[in-house]
Amino acid sequence: MLEGVATNETDELIAGEGVALLIPPAAPVIRICCGILDLVLYASLAILMLYFFIKYGPSLDEALVKAALILLMAFSILILPATVEYLSKGKSLGKLIGGMRVVRIDSGPIVWRQCFTRALMGLIEIWTIQAISVVSVLVEKRSRRVGDLAAGTYVIRERMPLRIPTPPQMPPQLEAWAKTVDLGGISPGLAIAMRQFITRRDLFSSAGGRSLAEQIMRQVYVAVLPRPPQAPPEQIIAALLAERTNRESTRLQAEERMRTHLLGTK
């Protein structure tokens, strides 16, 4: 695995041909405030259901009443929150107001198992010892509470402008070679690594940048034909990314022309 490049543990989504969109986690303070709102909402619902059960419920013996109360509380603070997050694809009232959503660690949509795990852990860290959740959100680098760590999820911000990196410029001396290259061997993971190297190379130390470039180039030499000519690694990587972007743009334009021709629209 390349050090310092995208893996499944990064906060990124992939759009189109290897374009990484940075999806940062929700801020801890916002998470805590919206979590308190959810806590108050579900607690109020539980109290309301309990009130109506006691006042209007059937006359049952003590054992049945206790069992019914347990089921009622389990529904309101466990089943209901998990179901709401599952059906809303990672949202609750608090998250909706805060512009947040729960996603998998790889930024994909959550499944029922993850929703239930988060709610189950919430019985301890939210409904009993809230300090556990608060400390975890404040300390963990992606503001994940214990339930997120157990479920393999985190909370992202949805209301933010997406930052799409500017495509790299084609080095003139490599343009002729790049046009002949078979790019089919460049996997999405390698494309992400190349793009991150180009966009973040100023952040690396000279030794770290050289080491990372060598790791990427070892994969590039295996992935592309004809082999790259003698040139600095950053120029070869930029040429491949620029050609990749150009081909994707050409493909999309051709599809649009075909669609316009078939539908007869301008």
Side-chain angles (χ1 to χ4, degrees):
M1 182 61 63
L2 295 180
E3 187 177 1
V5 299
T7 69
N8 285 339
E9 294 297 313
T10 59
D11 306 337
E12 294 185 337
L13 297 177
I14 309 306
E17 287 294 304
V19 178
L21 304 180
L22 185 62
I23 307 296
V29 174
I30 297 177
R31 279 212 62 184
I32 292 173
C33 291
C34 294
I36 293 174
L37 177 60
D38 285 333
L39 179 64
V40 172
L41 175 64
Y42 288 121
S44 300
L45 180 61
I47 293 173
L48 185 63
M49 294 173 67
L50 181 62
Y51 169 78
F52 279 101
F53 176 79
I54 294 175
K55 185 173 183 179
Y56 301 105
S59 178
L60 303 173
D61 61 53
E62 184 177 352
L64 289 177
V65 169
K66 289 182 179 180
L69 289 178
I70 292 174
L71 291 175
L72 181 64
M73 296 303 294
F75 172 79
S76 58
I77 67 177
L78 177 62
I79 303 301
L80 183 60
T83 303
V84 168
E85 278 196 352
Y86 176 69
L87 295 179
S88 63
K89 295 181 172 58
K91 290 191 175 183
S92 61
L93 179 61
K95 294 181 181 65
L96 180 63
I97 294 174
M100 301 180 295
R101 181 188 298 274
V102 182
V103 296
R104 296 197 311 259
I105 200 67
D106 62 356
S107 299
I110 56 176
V111 297
W112 168 253
R113 174 184 57 80
Q114 293 169 317
C115 296
F116 185 78
T117 300
R118 296 181 80 255
L120 185 62
M121 295 301 298
L123 294 178
I124 300 174
E125 59 169 330
I126 295 178
W127 293 98
T128 55
I129 312 176
Q130 291 87 355
I132 297 177
S133 180
V134 173
V135 171
S136 178
V137 168
L138 292 175
V139 172
E140 212 278 332
K141 66 178 182 179
R142 291 187 218 179
S143 302
R144 294 194 291 172
R145 64 178 179 87
V146 177
D148 290 312
L149 296 172
T153 59
Y154 77 118
V155 179
I156 64 171
R157 292 164 48 198
E158 286 195 315
R159 296 172 188 168
M160 56 167 293
L162 293 178
R163 294 172 291 174
I164 302 178
T166 303
Q169 298 297 313
M170 172 68 74
Q173 69 275 20
L174 296 176
E175 185 173 4
W177 165 76
K179 289 183 179 301
T180 66
V181 171
D182 179 3
L183 299 177
I186 298 180
S187 66
L190 178 56
I192 297 168
M194 293 162 59
R195 190 172 297 277
Q196 289 190 341
F197 172 75
I198 290 296
T199 57
R200 303 176 184 179
R201 62 183 183 273
D202 293 337
L203 302 178
F204 299 124
S205 64
S206 56
R210 284 194 302 271
S211 175
L212 185 55
E214 290 173 359
Q215 293 181 62
I216 294 175
M217 287 305 299
R218 281 197 292 270
Q219 296 193 40
V220 167
Y221 274 106
V222 175
V224 303
L225 285 173
R227 303 299 184 203
Q230 290 294 327
E234 58 269 19
Q235 292 186 11
I236 295 174
I237 294 171
L240 291 172
L241 290 174
E243 181 63 22
R244 187 180 173 93
T245 300
N246 180 63
R247 293 184 189 182
E248 178 65 10
S249 177
T250 301
R251 181 185 67 81
L252 293 175
Q253 291 173 7
E255 290 181 356
E256 181 62 27
R257 287 194 298 268
M258 179 63 71
R259 184 160 44 248
T260 301
H261 176 73
L262 293 177
L263 298 178
T265 58
K266 295 183 179 181

